């Protein structure tokens, strides 16, 4: 679909450009059947696409083309497309819309979906949306917006179907038939009492195979997975993965049913979290629009580039301390990057494992030292094996056994340093309340570069000169 949209858009822009070059004499060309056919075909293609596909197309287009396509999206789909688009692209689309358009787009969404969109909307638009909602939905929206972004409450869906335990299955079936449609990802109904306390769940599969005269209480399940709105969203992700859930109930401390979490919301959260971790490892502060203005991209990237620059100066000064040694044995200059490069790669491997383990909550204070000892053991084995390989190659090239031994020892020591810091950096960031992935890759590379240079050149100065 993307390539087809790009092709049709190119035809449209090409003809528009031709009309502009020709001036007044070809103004009618802009309204020609060819141009109308291009627009009609493009419109028909966009109309049949899922909002997620439209969002993907918008993210892949430069700003000018993006706004042309955005202007062709039917207004009733604006809200859904905004929800599916990345934060950076969503910002450009919202900037192009007027307040009345934004209010109309938000009114097409449920309260929990509006809450997802709310942080990106102007305050006056949020106020207008509040006033336009029924009282019940207004309260739901206020509740959804009160939960932290990384909490279960922020993932909550208020669209639930509840039944009583003292009714027959036949009554439940009649009730369901009166609905226009079931909420998305409905695999179970929630059984509550008159005060909305959760008593159990009634699986859709049980409704289909049970005798219509059977009471709900006789076929419902009382062994249920429940979540609280203040729980971490990551806990919900664990539960869905561990128990293969499609939906799960959210209750308050009095066991009153507040809403549910569905698998599609959890998948979106996991995807967004993994993307953010990948960006943080690279030192990017936030998701970036591929076609964002230069200055905006610079603002997103400058912090860790500045850190990297400082560490590069540190590494250069480390090398400067051993200028005399390098002058006496020029081979040192050629061999230094090997030690630093292998140390950086090894450190990044360790950090990736530790960040993943922290995200899955697999590390605690009791297991931290065991983990450090394990990583040190791995680095010793790798250091001995690959240090020996590097040492033999060095000897083969330079015919200097002492230099080969120095390479082997430097490799071993730098891998030990990489392993130790690969564990400590993310764990320290976590203890300080920061994202353990935040700039970890940048930091470990900087440390292993400077440390590798210092270790190798110190050993060379000590044993070779």
């Amino acid at each position: 679909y993307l390539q087809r949209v790009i092709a049709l858009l190119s035809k449209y822009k090409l003809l528009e450009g031709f009309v502009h070059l020709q001036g007044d004499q070809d103004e009618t060309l802009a309204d020609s059947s060819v141009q109308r056919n291009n627009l009609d075909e493009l419109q028909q293609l966009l109309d049949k696409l899922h909002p997620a596909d439209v969002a993907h197309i918008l993210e892949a287009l430069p700003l000018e083309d993006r706004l042309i396509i955005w202007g062709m999206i039917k207004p009733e789909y604006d809200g859904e497309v905004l929800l599916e688009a990345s934060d950076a692209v969503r910002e450009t689309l919202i900037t192009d819309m007027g307040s009345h358009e934004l209010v109309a787009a938000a009114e097409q969404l449920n309260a929990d979906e509006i809450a997802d969109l709310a942080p990106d909307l102007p305050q006056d638009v949020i106020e207008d949306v509040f006033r336009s909602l029924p009282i019940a939905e207004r309260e739901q929206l206020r509740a959804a917006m009160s939960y932290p972004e990384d909490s279960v409450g922020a993932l909550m869906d208020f669209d639930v179907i509840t039944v009583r335990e003292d009714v027959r299955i036949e009554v439940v079936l009649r009730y369901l038939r009166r609905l226009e449609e079931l909420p998305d990802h409905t695999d179970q109904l929630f059984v509550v009492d008159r005060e909305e306390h959760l008593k159990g769940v009634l699986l859709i599969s049980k409704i289909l195979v049970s005798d219509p005269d059977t009471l709900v209480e006789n076929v419902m399940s009382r062994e249920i997975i429940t979540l609280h709105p203040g729980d971490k969203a990551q806990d919900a992700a664990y539960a869905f993965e561990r128990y293969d859930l499609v939906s799960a109930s959210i209750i308050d401390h009095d066991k009153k049913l507040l809403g549910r979490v569905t698998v599609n919301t959890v998948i979106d959260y996991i995807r967004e979290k993994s993307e953010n971790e990948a960006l943080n490892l690279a030192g990017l502060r936030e998701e970036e629009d591929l076609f964002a203005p230069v200055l905006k991209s610079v603002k997103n990237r400058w912090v860790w580039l500045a850190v990297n620059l400082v560490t590069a100066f540190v590494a250069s000064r480390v090398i400067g301390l051993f200028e005399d040694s390098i002058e006496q044995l020029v081979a040192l200059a050629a061999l230094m990057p090997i030690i630093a490069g292998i140390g950086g790669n090894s450190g990044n491997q360790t950090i990736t494992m530790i960040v993943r383990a922290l995200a899955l909550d697999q590390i605690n204070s009791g297991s931290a030292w065991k983990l450090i000892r394990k990583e040190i053991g791995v680095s010793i084995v790798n250091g001995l094996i690959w240090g020996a390989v590097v040492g033999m190659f060095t000897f083969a090239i330079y015919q200097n056994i002492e230099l080969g031994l120095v390479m082997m020892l430097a490799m071993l020591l730098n891998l030990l340093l990489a392993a130790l810091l690969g564990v400590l950096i993310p764990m320290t960031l976590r203890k300080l309340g920061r994202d353990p992935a935040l700039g970890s890759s940048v930091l470990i590379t900087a440390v292993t570069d400077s440390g590798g240079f210092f270790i190798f050149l110190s050993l060379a100065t000590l044993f070779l000169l």
Side-chain angles (χ1 to χ4, degrees):
Y1 290 122
L2 175 59
Q3 296 305 318
R4 186 61 183 155
V5 167
I6 291 175
L8 291 171
L9 194 57
S10 297
K11 287 182 182 179
Y12 170 78
K13 291 174 63 180
L14 184 64
L15 189 55
E16 285 287 301
F18 179 74
V19 170
H20 179 72
L21 289 173
Q22 293 297 317
D24 295 339
Q25 59 182 353
D26 279 330
E27 283 183 0
T28 56
L29 192 58
D31 298 322
S32 68
S33 60
V34 175
Q35 192 70 317
R36 286 196 302 273
N37 287 340
N38 286 335
L39 289 176
D40 289 343
E41 188 176 353
L42 185 56
Q43 186 71 64
Q44 291 172 12
L45 178 59
L46 293 172
D47 289 346
K48 67 181 183 181
L49 291 179
H50 189 278
D53 294 324
V54 175
H56 172 70
I57 289 170
L58 293 172
E59 290 169 0
L61 294 176
L63 183 58
E64 180 184 350
D65 295 347
R66 180 186 301 161
L67 295 182
I68 293 175
I69 296 298
W70 180 234
M72 300 179 70
I73 304 300
K74 290 184 176 179
E76 57 264 34
Y77 299 130
D78 283 353
E80 294 181 57
V81 175
L82 287 173
L83 278 176
E84 297 289 348
S86 64
D87 292 344
V89 171
R90 183 188 301 163
E91 183 180 339
T92 65
L93 301 179
I94 288 176
T95 302
D96 188 60
M97 301 174 70
S99 295
H100 65 285
E101 293 177 296
L102 289 170
V103 172
E107 288 175 346
Q108 302 293 325
L109 304 174
N110 297 326
D112 53 294
E113 294 173 328
I114 298 174
D116 291 338
L117 204 59
D120 299 311
L121 296 176
Q123 185 60 37
D124 61 318
V125 171
I126 293 295
E127 292 172 358
D128 289 342
V129 171
F130 259 111
R131 286 193 289 268
S132 68
L133 292 176
I135 294 178
E137 289 189 32
R138 195 180 304 172
E139 291 305 312
Q140 289 177 347
L141 177 56
R142 184 175 286 109
M145 291 177 63
S146 68
Y147 297 114
E149 187 176 352
D150 60 347
S151 69
V152 169
L155 306 180
M156 185 160 53
D157 180 1
F158 297 100
D159 198 3
V160 298
I161 299 178
T162 60
V163 295
R164 301 277 188 263
E165 60 183 332
D166 57 353
V167 301
R168 292 180 294 121
I169 294 296
E170 181 186 4
V171 175
V172 175
L173 287 170
R174 287 205 308 268
Y175 171 63
L176 294 178
R177 291 191 190 105
R178 291 205 307 268
L179 302 175
E180 293 182 4
E181 60 179 354
L182 294 179
D184 290 340
H185 300 90
T186 297
D187 65 320
Q188 58 189 359
L189 310 183
F190 300 99
V191 184
V192 298
D193 60 18
R194 297 186 182 280
E195 284 76 36
E196 297 298 315
H197 295 107
L198 183 65
K199 310 298 287 186
V201 295
L202 178 61
L203 299 176
I204 295 293
S205 58
K206 281 289 186 181
I207 297 176
L208 296 176
V209 300
S210 297
D211 188 322
D213 292 327
T214 305
L215 290 176
V216 167
E217 65 179 341
N218 293 330
V219 294
M220 74 181 193
S221 174
R222 290 178 170 82
E223 295 180 0
I224 51 178
I225 304 298
T226 59
L227 300 167
H228 293 88
D231 292 343
K232 293 181 180 179
Q234 190 67 48
D235 293 340
Y238 297 152
F240 272 72
E241 179 186 10
R242 188 176 301 118
Y243 305 114
D244 295 326
L245 301 177
V246 175
S247 65
S249 57
I250 300 178
I251 59 174
D252 64 13
H253 293 295
D254 295 324
K255 294 187 177 181
K256 284 189 175 181
L257 181 67
L258 301 177
R260 64 176 184 150
V261 178
T262 56
V263 64
N264 61 321
T265 307
V266 171
I267 290 174
D268 287 342
Y269 166 78
I270 294 172
R271 176 185 56 80
E272 183 177 350
K273 184 175 178 62
S274 64
E275 289 175 353
N276 288 338
E277 285 182 354
L279 291 170
N280 285 337
L281 281 171
L284 292 174
R285 294 187 298 170
E286 59 186 29
E287 185 180 20
E288 184 178 305
D289 182 358
L290 285 176
F291 303 100
V294 172
L295 287 179
K296 188 168 185 179
S297 295
V298 168
K299 290 178 181 178
N300 191 32
R301 305 183 194 186
W302 76 270
V303 173
W304 286 102
L305 288 177
V307 172
N308 218 356
L309 182 61
V310 172
T311 57
F313 273 117
V314 172
S316 71
R317 293 315 307 145
V318 170
I319 296 172
L321 294 174
F322 298 94
E323 286 180 352
D324 293 339
S325 300
I326 295 173
E327 287 178 0
Q328 294 179 51
L329 189 57
V330 179
L332 299 179
L335 296 172
M336 283 191 306
I338 298 175
I339 302 297
I342 296 297
N345 288 336
S346 177
N348 277 314
Q349 289 175 345
T350 302
I351 274 183
T352 301
M353 294 294 295
I354 300 303
V355 168
R356 179 181 179 276
L358 287 172
L360 296 175
D361 205 22
Q362 295 174 339
I363 300 177
N364 54 52
S365 56
S367 62
W369 284 110
K370 291 181 181 179
L371 190 60
I372 291 174
R373 288 197 297 270
K374 178 253 186 180
E375 288 299 324
I376 288 176
V378 171
S379 65
I380 288 174
V381 174
N382 279 331
L384 291 174
I385 293 173
W386 296 109
V389 171
V390 170
M392 286 188 291
F393 270 102
T394 302
F395 173 70
I397 294 171
Y398 295 101
Q399 296 298 306
N400 187 329
I401 191 169
E402 291 86 359
L403 182 58
L405 291 172
V406 165
M407 281 290 289
M408 179 178 175
L409 184 56
M411 179 76 73
L412 174 61
L413 293 176
N414 201 30
L415 288 181
L416 284 170
L417 177 66
L420 183 61
L421 292 178
V423 176
L424 292 179
I425 287 174
M427 291 188 67
T428 302
L429 288 171
R430 174 72 169 267
K431 197 161 188 177
L432 294 174
R434 307 297 298 274
D435 187 338
L438 186 62
S440 293
S441 179
V442 177
L443 291 175
I444 193 67
T445 301
V447 171
T448 52
D449 280 355
S450 300
F453 292 152
F454 182 80
I455 291 169
F456 176 58
L457 293 174
S458 295
L459 291 174
T461 302
L462 186 61
F463 294 110
L464 299 179
L465 302 175

